[in-house]
Amino acid sequence: MNELRAVIQDNTAGSPTVSGLKWTHLSVAEIVRELFQRGIKVANEVVSRLLGEMGFKTRQQVKSKTKVPSRDRDEQFEKIEKSIEDYKNTGDPVFSIDSKRKESLGEVHRSGDVIANQAAEVLDHDLPAYSDGEVTPHGIYDVQENTGHVTVTTGSDTGEFAVASFQRYWEEVGSVQHASAKRILLLCDCGGSNSYRSNTLKYHLQELSNELGLPIQVAHYPVHCSKYNPIERREFSHVERAFSGRIFSTASDVAEAAESTSTQTGLNITTAELPEFQPVRKSGKRVPKPPNVEYDKDLPDYNYTFNPQ
């Protein structure tokens, strides 16, 4: 053990940014050779075990730091948890929503493994011009029922698409599972089509609230905290596994792959397709704020409710 520690210390560097982090560029086989040169014969398995006892193992970098601290981070997380608990107590639904990254169509490379009888040959470059288009998947996760939904479109990821996705889901699935709902809580990120700055999103949510006759409360996770949105780890991580190594030719292929997602905890995915949505033009960004929005008195940017008119 002492000789192993000496070898590690001689070939270990410290991190200039992470306190206490030590790493070595040597592999287990190289450590074995180094020990042999010092007169010690030992098997690779023994070195691996001893490294583990010393706290050394193969590790990856963890994306956990933010460049800028999130504004009102702790206060907003407390509000979200209280809102979820309140909705659970009254039996009203809580949905986590977000857009997944776009999927390319055509014979373009997609990372991941798939069990197949032979390798799939695809284009040797992943240039956007080589794809046959893109598909935007929008996800909805029912926090209480542990069910998911994915809506796909070949158009742009806009606030109008996000609301249309939820409306389609509610009409076909959500209203059946939550027939006695008196209100709806949506958990979403701060950017993209779910941006808290998007008047387009708010405009269409107000229209949806009017149509459903139900209040819709929106709670945004703070800036740089999208990974805490439940849909990321409870739905999208499993959908991504179902997409692994696939070749998509149409939006229907993407929807079919999403619908095949399942987990041992009982997660099931339903899907839908919507027509193409056009990008929001500059004039569209000046959509007036809905007049019947109730903003939270403490954190109005992150929390607001649409009441049916």
Side-chain angles (χ1 to χ4, degrees), residues 44-59:
N44 289 19
E45 294 76 10
V46 175
V47 171
S48 296
R49 177 173 57 80
L50 293 176
L51 285 172
E53 293 176 2
M54 295 168 59
F56 283 83
K57 65 178 183 179
T58 303
R59 302 178 189 270

Side-chain angles (χ1 to χ4, degrees), residues 76 87 184-189 194 201 205 216-220 302-306:
Q76 179 59 9
Y87 273 70
I184 296 171
L185 173 61
L186 300 181
L187 309 176
C188 50
D189 301 342
N194 308 311
L201 174 72
L205 279 176
I216 299 177
Q217 180 181 343
V218 179
H220 294 271
Y302 290 157
N303 306 277
Y304 44 87
T305 301
F306 300 94

Side-chain angles (χ1 to χ4, degrees), residues 267-287:
L267 174 68
N268 291 309
I269 305 289
T270 56
T271 59
E273 294 183 49
L274 287 177
E276 182 173 330
F277 284 80
Q278 297 299 323
V280 178
R281 305 191 183 281
K282 290 185 178 180
S283 57
K285 294 181 180 180
R286 291 194 289 269
V287 173

Side-chain angles (χ1 to χ4, degrees), residues 245-298:
R246 296 244 191 165
I247 298 176
F248 299 127
S249 299
T250 64
S252 298
D253 292 342
V254 178
E256 181 182 346
E259 196 165 5
S260 69
T261 305
S262 63
T263 66
Q264 292 183 349
T265 58
L267 174 68
N268 291 309
I269 305 289
T270 56
T271 59
E273 294 183 49
L274 287 177
E276 182 173 330
F277 284 80
Q278 297 299 323
V280 178
R281 305 191 183 281
K282 290 185 178 180
S283 57
K285 294 181 180 180
R286 291 194 289 269
V287 173
K289 291 184 178 181
N292 208 28
V293 184
E294 180 182 347
Y295 289 93
D296 181 76
K297 63 179 181 179
D298 298 321

Side-chain angles (χ1 to χ4, degrees), residues 3-104:
E3 285 294 333
L4 177 59
R5 290 183 184 276
V7 171
I8 294 297
Q9 289 176 357
D10 292 344
N11 296 275
T12 296
S15 170
T17 59
V18 182
S19 176
L21 172 62
K22 299 291 184 180
W23 60 273
T24 178
H25 64 277
L26 296 180
S27 66
V28 171
E30 290 171 334
I31 293 176
V32 170
R33 286 196 295 269
E34 182 81 18
L35 290 171
F36 181 76
Q37 292 174 2
R38 300 189 182 197
I40 299 175
K41 294 182 179 181
V42 64
N44 289 19
E45 294 76 10
V46 175
V47 171
S48 296
R49 177 173 57 80
L50 293 176
L51 285 172
E53 293 176 2
M54 295 168 59
F56 283 83
K57 65 178 183 179
T58 303
R59 302 178 189 270
Q60 293 183 344
Q61 296 178 349
V62 179
K63 293 182 178 180
S64 59
K65 292 186 174 182
T66 56
K67 198 68 174 178
V68 180
S70 300
R71 176 169 54 91
D72 301 316
R73 183 184 188 277
D74 294 341
E75 293 84 350
Q76 179 59 9
F77 271 100
E78 290 178 3
K79 279 188 175 291
I80 290 176
E81 291 303 318
K82 288 180 180 178
S83 295
I84 293 175
E85 190 65 27
D86 179 33
Y87 273 70
K88 287 183 178 180
N89 290 337
T90 60
D92 293 309
V94 179
F95 299 102
S96 171
I97 67 173
D98 193 16
S99 293
K100 192 179 178 298
R101 68 180 177 87
K102 294 184 177 181
E103 299 293 338
S104 296

